[in-house]
Amino acid sequence: MTTDDLVELFREHGTGAVSDALDLLGRNGGLSGLSRRSGTGTVVGPAYTLRFEPVAAGVRAPAGEFIDDVPPGAVVVIANGGRLYCTVWGDILSAVAVRNGVAGTVVDGCCRDVAETRAVGYPVWSRAGYMKSGKNRVRLAAVGQPVEVCGTVVEQGDLVCADDSGAVVVPAALATEVGDQVRRIVTIEAAIRADVAAGVPLRDSRRRHGYNLAPRDGITVPVPSTGRS
């Protein structure tokens, strides 16, 4: 699968299927503690990573200048150490992101100007909303480097999938394998839904289709035939 194929696949099926696929491969990827603040639908795109660091009181630290360099379709991933005392994303950044075709933003920390960001329809996930500016409190320390976000390491180019349930990151090196597992999972779940609609007890259907089995344990999970190659 190409990157475009994976983006469309993950966008169609959302974080639940992607997270389950990572589980089957023994990986986490979940960015726990983040909630959607704005935007709608499922956002998927390659990570554009940023790391902020605190500055001492009295040290001047201007706002980070990065937004004009973010490519269209990317998801901005900001590692701000979960800090809740200042923000690193606001309405002006959202407006530029919309203009430039950026897919969305994930912040391990706070965002502000939530109403204005909602008004332009730009998707943001963060730990919280808070109005205090990050200027002279934190500074941009790294761009395009591996960062830790909510306990998960995110590298530039990893695929980020985010929706109303939260955000999950797929390592670029595993993306095709994850895509294969997503297809397996949605096929199994479709078969279970069909069984349930036909009156089959859920426990029986789950057992029949291998819902609770894990390939990482050396178990081959059966995939119901769809009639397609």
Side-chain angles (χ1 to χ4, degrees):
M1 283 181 279
T2 68
T3 298
D4 288 344
D5 291 336
L6 290 164
V7 167
E8 288 305 313
L9 179 68
F10 296 168
R11 184 181 293 126
E12 178 181 0
H13 297 295
T15 59
V18 172
S19 177
D20 286 354
L22 284 165
D23 279 346
L24 290 176
L25 296 172
R27 300 294 291 265
N28 177 19
L31 305 183
S32 60
L34 302 187
S35 299
R36 184 196 286 275
R37 304 294 158 189
S38 56
T40 59
T42 300
V43 167
V44 183
Y48 186 90
T49 59
L50 308 165
R51 180 173 59 82
F52 282 77
E53 64 183 12
V55 297
V59 174
R60 295 203 58 186
E65 297 294 352
F66 59 83
I67 191 62
D68 295 311
D69 301 321
V70 181
V75 176
V76 179
V77 177
I78 303 179
N80 193 30
R83 298 178 185 96
L84 301 180
Y85 59 80
C86 68
T87 182
V88 288
W89 191 270
D91 61 336
I92 296 176
L93 288 172
S94 294
V96 176
V98 169
R99 183 195 69 190
N100 292 353
V102 179
T105 294
V106 170
V107 184
D108 188 5
C110 293
C111 65
R112 73 176 189 180
D113 308 319
V114 175
E116 293 84 353
T117 296
R118 286 175 178 164
V120 298
Y122 184 72
V124 175
W125 288 259
S126 69
R127 287 190 179 272
Y130 192 56
M131 79 298 300
K132 286 290 185 181
S133 172
K135 291 180 293 184
N136 305 315
R137 293 184 174 93
V138 293
R139 64 185 166 203
L140 183 59
V143 177
Q145 300 299 312
V147 296
E148 184 174 318
V149 177
C150 305
T152 294
V153 174
V154 183
E155 298 191 20
Q156 185 97 335
D158 288 348
L159 284 180
V160 181
C161 179
D163 58 21
D164 287 345
S165 295
V168 62
V169 175
V170 176
L174 285 178
T176 297
E177 289 183 74
V178 171
D180 291 340
Q181 296 295 343
V182 166
R183 286 178 168 173
R184 166 182 285 183
I185 288 162
V186 299
T187 300
I188 290 172
E189 291 188 349
I192 291 171
R193 290 188 181 94
D195 280 353
V196 170
V200 177
L202 179 58
R203 68 171 66 87
D204 294 344
S205 182
R206 283 177 169 173
R207 186 180 304 112
R208 175 189 302 172
H209 299 293
Y211 181 82
N212 293 316
L213 304 183
R216 68 172 180 269
D217 296 328
I219 299 169
T220 300
V221 177
V223 180
S225 173
T226 62
R228 296 177 294 176
S229 57

